[in-house]
Amino acid sequence: MNSGTQKLKASSTDEEKKKFLKKFQNIKDLPSLPVIVAKVNQMLDNPYTTIDSLSAVIEKDQAIVFKMLRLVNSAFFGFREKISNTNEAAIILGLDAIRNIVISLSTFNTLNRISSKNPCDIFKIKDFWNHSVGVAVLSKYLADKNRIGDPEKCFVAGLLHDMGKLILAYYFTDDFKKILDLAKKEDLLFREAEEKAMPGGHHEIGYYISQKWDIPTHLANTIYSHHSMQIGSSTYEDSLIVNTADGIINSYYVDFLNNNTRPGTIAYRYFDKKARERMQPWIESSSKWFPEVEQLINEARKLFLEK
Ligand SMILES: [Fe+2]
Ligand SMILES: [Fe+2]
C-alpha cells in the first residue's frame, strides 16, 4: 500500500470516528450530573477552599451525606474509628477523596436515572453495577497493596470504567444489540466485537460523556485507557490497575455481557498485555487472596445496590 492510500484511509477513519462520537455528544435527553459535582469541583480548584466550606456545601445534600458516611465507614475503606460527619470525613480522607466519593455517588444516581427512563431489556443494570462495583473495590485494593496508582481515583475509575456500555445500550440500543449478536456469533468479547462493528468503542463513549459532565480529566483519561494504556501517560498506573481488576472480576464472575467465561478461572484474554506482565504475580495467585477481597466486594455491592 503506498503512503497516499494509507493517508486516505486514515482520514476517512478519522471522519467516521468523529461522526460516531458526535452522536454521543449530541444525546438530547442526557441528564446532567447534580449541581453538587460542579460546585465541589470548583471549590477544589480554589486553593482557599477550607474543609468547613466544602463540608457546608456537601451537607446541603443529605442523601449524598448519608451514602458517603456509609461508604467511608464500610470495611473497604478500612478505618477503625467511626466517621460521623462530613467534616471528619474530609479531615481523615482529604478533600480529594471527598470529591471522588461525591462524583461516584452522583454519577451512580444519574446513570440509574438513565436506566429507569429508557427501558432496555437486553441491558441488565443490576449485573452492570455488580461488575462495576466489583472492579471499583478490587481496583482500590490492588492499588493499595501494590502502591501502584491512586487508590481512591482507581475506585471511581473502576466504578465508571464501562459507563460507555450503558450509554450505548440505552440510547443506541440497535448498535448495542448488533455488538452483542456479533460477540455471540463469533465468540468475541464485547470490546472485540465493538471494534469490528463500530468506528469507536465504549471507552471513548465513556470519555466523551465524562467530559460533558465535567468529570475531572484524570478520571476521564483513565476511563479512556482502561483497555489499552500508554506507558508514560499520567493515567498509566490507574488504567493498568483498573484493567487488571476488570480482568479478574470478569474471570471470577460471569462476564455481565458475554456470558462466555468459566467463572473462577483466569481468562487471560481480558487483560491488556502490559497489565498482565506487570501484575502477573497477583493474577497468578488470585485464588489465594480473592476470598478476602470478595467480602469487601459483597459489602460494597449491598451498599450501592440496596435502597
Ligand atoms: Fe471496558
Ligand atoms: Fe468492565
Side-chain angles (χ1 to χ4, degrees):
M1 191 188 281
N2 68 38
S3 61
T5 323
Q6 257 175 350
K7 219 174 175 180
L8 196 73
K9 193 156 188 268
S11 66
S12 72
T13 308
D14 286 351
E15 218 26 68
E16 273 169 33
K17 193 172 271 258
K18 249 197 216 155
K19 242 171 103 185
F20 167 78
L21 291 171
K22 218 168 176 164
K23 279 195 337 192
F24 296 94
Q25 284 182 310
N26 294 335
I27 298 172
K28 280 200 190 71
D29 54 350
L30 185 78
S32 3
L33 285 191
V35 280
I36 189 173
V37 175
K39 186 82 193 141
V40 168
N41 277 335
Q42 243 173 39
M43 290 185 86
L44 284 198
D45 287 342
N46 177 354
Y48 297 107
T49 293
T50 60
I51 286 180
D52 283 351
S53 60
L54 183 78
S55 302
V57 166
I58 297 174
E59 295 278 336
K60 285 188 186 141
D61 190 332
Q62 279 303 307
I64 286 270
V65 172
F66 176 73
K67 278 237 161 181
M68 179 174 76
L69 291 177
R70 278 188 67 191
L71 198 66
V72 297
N73 284 309
S74 64
F76 61 94
F77 261 84
F79 293 105
R80 276 198 203 119
E81 278 168 44
K82 193 173 179 325
I83 298 174
S84 52
N85 57 50
T86 316
N87 248 45
E88 262 178 48
I91 291 166
I92 296 173
L93 300 170
L95 297 184
D96 232 16
I98 299 297
R99 178 205 333 228
N100 287 329
I101 293 170
V102 169
I103 292 172
S104 299
L105 297 173
S106 304
T107 314
F108 175 80
N109 288 341
T110 305
L111 293 174
N112 279 333
R113 264 177 62 206
I114 292 176
S115 134
S116 56
K117 281 191 168 169
N118 306 274
C120 167
D121 55 4
I122 47 168
F123 191 83
K124 307 275 178 265
I125 186 84
K126 198 169 172 221
D127 293 349
F128 169 77
W129 285 126
N130 274 332
H131 170 73
S132 304
V133 172
V135 176
V137 173
L138 182 54
S139 295
K140 179 170 156 34
Y141 180 90
L142 289 173
D144 263 331
K145 295 271 179 194
N146 289 280
R147 292 177 191 270
I148 297 177
D150 176 311
E152 263 77 43
K153 285 193 178 117
C154 284
F155 180 88
V156 199
L159 188 72
L160 304 180
H161 73 287
D162 275 341
M163 71 178 185
K165 289 180 182 171
L166 182 148
I167 299 290
L168 192 62
Y170 288 113
Y171 291 109
F172 301 94
T173 311
D174 288 346
D175 290 335
F176 182 72
K177 207 171 168 309
K178 209 163 88 186
I179 296 165
L180 284 189
D181 290 344
L182 183 66
K184 206 169 180 188
K185 200 170 127 211
E186 298 189 13
D187 188 27
L188 300 170
L189 298 180
F190 186 88
R191 169 175 54 79
E192 295 162 343
E194 72 181 356
E195 220 171 86
K196 273 190 148 183
M198 296 192 309
H202 68 279
H203 62 294
E204 285 162 310
I205 303 168
Y207 172 80
Y208 275 91
I209 300 295
S210 306
Q211 281 200 319
K212 220 178 152 98
W213 280 345
D214 282 330
I215 286 178
T217 313
H218 182 92
L219 270 173
N221 287 339
T222 308
I223 291 171
Y224 185 85
S225 49
H226 76 270
H227 284 297
S228 167
M229 56 246 41
Q230 290 281 321
I231 295 176
S233 91
S234 61
T235 53
Y236 176 66
E237 292 200 329
D238 287 5
S239 308
L240 186 125
I241 286 290
V242 173
N243 181 271
T244 308
D246 187 45
I248 294 174
I249 292 293
N250 276 330
S251 299
Y252 273 86
Y253 303 100
V254 175
D255 174 343
F256 82 101
L257 288 178
N258 285 77
N259 237 2
N260 60 355
T261 52
R262 287 187 297 136
T265 321
I266 289 291
Y268 286 97
R269 64 196 292 211
Y270 283 109
F271 299 85
D272 173 89
K273 193 167 170 271
K274 294 181 276 304
R276 211 168 61 206
E277 279 167 12
R278 175 110 178 243
M279 300 300 288
Q280 197 186 3
W282 275 83
I283 298 170
E284 301 283 302
S285 65
S286 58
S287 62
K288 292 199 181 76
W289 55 263
F290 194 74
E292 177 189 324
V293 82
E294 195 163 29
Q295 285 179 18
L296 306 179
I297 291 173
N298 288 337
E299 190 185 343
R301 282 177 174 168
K302 258 194 224 151
L303 212 146
F304 272 92
L305 294 168
E306 276 176 11
K307 298 257 153 81

